[in-house]
Amino acid sequence: MLSIRCVAQGVPNDGYGLVKTNIKVSYDYTDASISDHFNARVSYEFLKKQRFTLSANVNYNSLQVDFPTDDLPEDCDPQQMDMNKTHLYGQMGVSSSFRSRLWGLPFMAFGTVSADWGDKSFQRVSGIAMGLFMLRFNRNTQFGIGPLVLINSTSKIPAFLVFMYRHRFNDRYAINFYGGMFGLDFTPTKSDLITIGGDIDVRSFYFRPHYVDLPERCRYTNTNFRPGIKYKRRLATNFYGEIQSGVIVKMSSRVTGVTGTKRYFDIPMPTRPFVQISFNYAL
């Protein structure tokens, strides 16, 4: 997946496309129908030019699902539809970044193409393309706006405008906005970062419902907003630990086809607390 990460002085950037090698494992838990989630991802930058980079990435997930029967439409049994179990799914893909000037403004473009695997088989190819015109770009303040396009997505809105804004007040405090994600960063030391804010988290899995009113293959997608607090510490050279806690607020919880945008039914998802622990190696 594509990510942009700007942080205050003292904790280096470690997002995809910003370092040569990125290895991250994380586990989070919440007391709800979708509970234990394990994620492992690797990104390796195999081509770097003055204005262009190309990275390969792999993303693996394990997700525990246990929907109550009452949360599904009448005559739908999540056990018989092969929804309630531990779902394994992943992605393999290529990401790229490009930096230049366009119409006199600094311009950055990002893109990723991924092949999805789930339910013991290949599912689909999808991608994201995004461009940012940097209307302001100096040491302390960066502000950009541009289009984001979803390729072969189940979303009914395939394109929209996004923006990013970062301002560093001093060596300890900075504020970051990127699309639906925001945070106030506090860096008490060069090895510690505390962020108060929120992000958007998307969980999904593929399944074969064996149900006459649904396609042969389906995709469940749960999109949430997660306000909370995050603490990150540099444990050793290029190695970081992170703990995040807050609440999960549902934005959407739906069953669609694998590539189509038709929504077959929604599944309730209550607001609930969560905790996430991550370890990251970035070089």
Side-chain angles (χ1 to χ4, degrees):
M1 296 289 291
L2 181 67
S3 67
I4 298 176
R5 180 64 172 145
C6 297
V7 297
Q9 184 174 342
V11 180
N13 291 320
D14 58 2
Y16 285 177
L18 299 174
V19 293
K20 186 175 182 64
T21 303
N22 189 303
I23 302 172
K24 185 172 184 177
V25 295
S26 66
Y27 168 79
D28 63 79
Y29 175 79
T30 181
D31 185 15
S33 304
I34 299 178
S35 53
D36 301 77
H37 177 223
F38 173 79
N39 171 258
R41 64 185 188 184
V42 178
S43 175
Y44 178 73
E45 183 183 81
F46 60 88
L47 178 64
K48 183 176 183 178
K49 300 295 185 180
Q50 184 177 2
R51 296 183 176 181
F52 178 78
T53 66
L54 201 59
S55 301
N57 52 74
V58 178
N59 191 356
Y60 169 83
N61 297 270
S62 169
L63 192 65
Q64 182 65 39
V65 178
D66 187 17
F67 290 123
T69 302
D70 293 344
D71 284 353
L72 273 66
E74 187 177 357
D75 298 329
C76 289
D77 186 312
Q79 198 72 37
Q80 295 180 1
M81 294 171 66
D82 206 29
M83 297 183 73
N84 284 357
K85 64 178 185 181
T86 299
H87 290 272
L88 308 179
Y89 65 99
Q91 295 175 316
M92 296 181 63
V94 177
S95 301
S96 64
S97 66
F98 176 75
R99 296 171 177 82
S100 185
R101 295 188 71 86
L102 192 62
W103 298 315
L105 296 172
F107 175 75
M108 296 186 294
F110 305 89
T112 183
V113 177
S114 300
D116 287 12
W117 171 88
D119 194 35
K120 301 179 181 179
S121 65
F122 166 79
Q123 295 294 339
R124 66 168 188 162
V125 173
S126 61
I128 297 174
M130 182 180 69
L132 279 175
F133 292 93
M134 302 305 298
L135 304 179
R136 186 172 179 85
F137 192 86
N138 56 45
R139 182 175 180 271
N140 292 324
T141 305
Q142 298 88 43
F143 172 69
I145 189 170
L148 185 147
V149 179
L150 303 174
I151 303 168
N152 196 26
S153 170
T154 57
S155 171
K156 288 188 176 182
I157 306 176
F160 46 90
L161 283 177
V162 295
F163 72 95
M164 65 86 65
Y165 172 76
R166 178 194 182 244
H167 178 72
R168 186 176 68 178
F169 300 100
N170 50 49
D171 287 346
R172 291 195 173 187
Y173 291 94
I175 190 168
N176 291 285
F177 289 89
Y178 171 57
M181 294 167 278
F182 69 95
L184 174 64
D185 291 345
F186 171 56
T187 311
T189 75
K190 289 188 176 182
S191 296
D192 299 278
L193 173 66
I194 300 171
T195 301
I196 299 174
D199 59 22
I200 293 176
D201 178 73
V202 180
R203 310 285 172 88
S204 63
F205 62 82
Y206 298 93
F207 66 101
R208 298 177 186 270
H210 308 292
Y211 189 73
V212 66
D213 292 332
L214 295 174
E216 179 183 356
R217 296 180 299 149
C218 287
R219 173 184 169 98
Y220 168 76
T221 306
N222 179 214
T223 304
N224 302 297
F225 176 62
R226 306 191 304 177
I229 185 169
K230 183 191 308 182
Y231 170 64
K232 182 174 182 177
R233 179 171 176 80
R234 184 172 59 190
L235 303 173
T237 303
N238 304 318
F239 185 63
Y240 305 86
E242 182 176 293
I243 183 168
Q244 181 178 0
S245 181
V247 295
I248 296 176
V249 182
K250 186 194 82 170
M251 298 176 65
S252 68
S253 174
R254 65 186 190 272
V255 170
T256 66
V258 171
T259 58
T261 60
K262 182 178 179 179
R263 180 181 301 187
Y264 291 97
F265 59 87
D266 293 341
I267 300 178
M269 193 64 60
T271 300
R272 67 275 188 199
F274 79 96
V275 61
Q276 178 175 302
I277 299 174
S278 306
F279 294 97
N280 176 231
Y281 173 81
L283 178 62

